[in-house]
């Protein structure tokens, strides 16, 4: 099978060294395998995404000496695909509407990051299930034609893990293949049970008012649509991969191989953040650094 990977930045700030590492690593792996390196702009959070940042991402990647196959995928153009997937999950009665105050729910528009406050599951505290009993009252209202104004939609994880082939197989173990490393050195075949998903991950948010999707839903649909065979990304997304595997099963999509890589950290050992302009590629460029210098700085 051809090797296809992707780089999927959100255009909400400058690319920094951490992005450069992820991009170059994925690119090098694709070239080594004679495969493809694709780009996807993860711009579902329209309040934060900016065209200017998108352009600066292209500029930086080109400057780094990377190239990609067209077309570039933009998540902001894929609402119909996300909606179709939600309809399918709703058809299996796996969704419920959540009315809990926004403050109690961590952001689900961007990928979860290391160091998010109160982290227990990959998206923050595992959802306690307040709104699940309201499911019936909400189900009609949720699917009014004014779809984008629906409240938050969550996946009923307990029901999701019972669906289809799993129902027949007690103790079914979900799995994916890891060719890199999780934060605790996880490598090889990564297996986890339904019970783990229910206790440690819970009823994750799949769509949010005004957005019609979430990071988890979009990433799974789009990796499949782009024919991605190997996902190369930071270790902070290792736990979230378990959500992605469940969604792939539910939506009948293939599970790619995953390659989670180490994170580039600042001098204090903290993961670089978008707002960390001090490590922006633009800044190194303006100071006269070469692409080879950037490779050296990230250890490639
Ligand atoms: N847009 C995500 C990020 O920048 C990408 C996550 C992924 O590669 O799955 O963190
Ligand atoms: Zn709720």
């Amino acid at each position: 099978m051809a090797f296809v990977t992707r780089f999927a930045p959100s255009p909400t700030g400058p690319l920094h060294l951490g992005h450069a590492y992820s991009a170059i690593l994925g690119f090098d792996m694709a070239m080594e395998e004679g495969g493809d390196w694709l780009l996807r702009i993860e711009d579902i959070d329209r309040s934060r995404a900016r065209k200017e940042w998108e352009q600066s991402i292209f500029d930086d990647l080109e400057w780094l000496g990377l190239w990609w196959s067209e077309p570039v995928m933009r998540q902001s153009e894929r609402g119909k695909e996300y909606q179709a997937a939600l309809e399918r999950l709703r058809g299996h009665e796996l969704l419920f509407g959540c009315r809990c105050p926004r403050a109690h729910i961590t952001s689900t528009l961007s990928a979860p990051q290391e160091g998010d406050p109160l982290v227990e599951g990959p998206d923050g505290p595992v959802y306690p299930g307040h709104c699940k009993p309201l499911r019936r009252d909400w189900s009609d209202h949720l699917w009014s034609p004014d779809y984008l104004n629906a409240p938050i939609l969550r996946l009923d994880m307990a029901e999701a893990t019972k669906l289809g082939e799993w129902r027949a197989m007690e103790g079914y173990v979900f799995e994916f293949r890891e060719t890199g490393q999780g934060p605790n050195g996880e490598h090889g075949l990564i297996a986890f049970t339904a019970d783990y998903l229910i206790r440690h991950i819970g009823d994750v948010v799949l769509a949010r008012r005004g957005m019609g999707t979430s990071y988890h839903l979009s990433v799974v649909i789009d990796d499949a649509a782009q024919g991605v065979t190997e996902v190369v990304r930071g270790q902070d997304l290792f736990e979230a991969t378990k959500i992605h595997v469940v969604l792939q099963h539910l939506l009948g999509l293939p599970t790619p191989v995953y390659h989670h890589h180490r994170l580039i950290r600042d001098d204090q050992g903290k993961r670089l953040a978008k707002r960390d302009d001090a490590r922006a590629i633009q800044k190194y460029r303006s100071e006269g650094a070469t692409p080879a210098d950037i490779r050296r700085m990230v250890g490639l």
Side-chain angles (χ1 to χ4, degrees):
M1 189 164 55
F3 183 104
V4 180
T5 189
R6 52 45 168 199
F7 179 56
S10 302
T12 55
L15 287 193
H16 57 57
L17 283 182
H19 296 109
Y21 175 60
S22 199
I24 299 169
L25 181 67
F27 178 86
D28 285 357
M29 287 171 71
M31 294 304 116
E32 195 144 308
E33 301 286 335
D36 255 340
W37 187 68
L38 306 178
L39 269 194
R40 182 167 72 232
I41 301 296
E42 302 217 319
D43 55 355
I44 56 172
D45 185 354
R46 293 189 213 173
S47 66
R48 292 171 61 227
R50 297 272 178 280
K51 273 285 172 200
E52 307 86 86
W53 289 127
E54 188 179 310
Q55 192 52 51
S56 88
I57 289 170
F58 295 145
D59 289 348
D60 283 345
L61 295 175
E62 270 172 22
W63 177 80
L64 284 168
L66 312 183
W67 62 87
W68 52 91
S69 306
E70 298 288 339
V72 171
M73 182 176 275
R74 267 182 204 78
Q75 291 190 325
S76 57
E77 295 166 0
R78 294 180 49 76
K80 282 210 170 60
E81 280 77 6
Y82 306 144
Q83 184 167 353
L86 288 168
E87 289 287 351
R88 180 165 170 169
L89 298 176
R90 182 177 81 109
H92 290 301
E93 298 185 24
L94 298 180
L95 299 182
F96 67 95
C98 172
R99 306 169 77 177
C100 293
R102 197 181 171 93
H104 293 178
I105 301 157
T106 52
S107 168
T108 49
L109 296 176
S110 50
Q113 301 212 320
E114 189 187 60
D116 280 347
L118 295 171
V119 168
E120 292 164 30
D123 283 342
V126 172
Y127 179 67
H130 290 134
C131 301
K132 250 199 241 195
L134 301 175
R135 179 206 301 266
R136 245 168 251 106
D137 309 345
W138 272 84
S139 52
D140 290 337
H141 179 76
L142 281 179
W143 301 93
S144 66
D146 197 7
Y147 172 79
L148 290 180
N149 284 322
I152 286 164
L153 295 181
R154 290 182 179 274
L155 179 70
D156 183 333
M157 189 62 87
E159 288 302 312
T161 55
K162 281 188 213 150
L163 190 78
E165 60 189 280
W166 315 327
R167 212 194 302 265
M169 299 166 70
E170 199 121 347
Y172 185 90
V173 172
F174 299 83
E175 58 190 33
F176 66 92
R177 188 162 294 281
E178 173 64 57
T179 61
Q181 240 182 30
N184 302 307
E186 300 93 334
H187 179 82
L189 196 65
I190 309 298
F192 46 101
T193 60
D195 188 57
Y196 180 89
L197 288 164
I198 295 164
R199 285 171 193 272
H200 296 278
I201 291 181
D203 303 327
V204 292
V205 175
L206 293 190
R208 178 179 282 290
R209 188 192 303 275
M211 203 68 55
T213 188
S214 66
Y215 161 70
H216 299 302
L217 185 70
S218 303
V219 85
V220 160
I221 293 170
D222 293 343
D223 281 338
Q226 288 188 296
V228 169
T229 62
E230 183 129 349
V231 171
V232 179
R233 64 184 179 192
Q235 266 170 3
D236 48 338
L237 293 170
F238 180 82
E239 267 300 289
T241 304
K242 295 169 185 171
I243 302 170
H244 302 170
V245 170
V246 172
L247 290 173
Q248 285 150 1
H249 278 268
L250 295 173
L251 296 170
L253 303 173
T255 296
V257 172
Y258 287 86
H259 186 100
H260 291 95
H261 58 68
R262 66 185 163 82
L263 302 176
I264 303 293
R265 297 176 185 280
D266 65 16
D267 303 337
Q268 277 84 52
K270 266 188 64 207
R271 178 187 195 271
L272 299 182
K274 277 271 160 53
R275 50 204 166 278
D276 193 356
D277 290 358
R279 300 285 190 303
I281 302 305
Q282 298 276 355
K283 179 174 163 280
Y284 292 109
R285 284 175 68 175
S286 68
E287 291 171 358
T290 66
D293 293 331
I294 303 287
R295 277 187 177 261
R296 246 190 317 276
M297 280 187 244
V298 298
L300 283 172

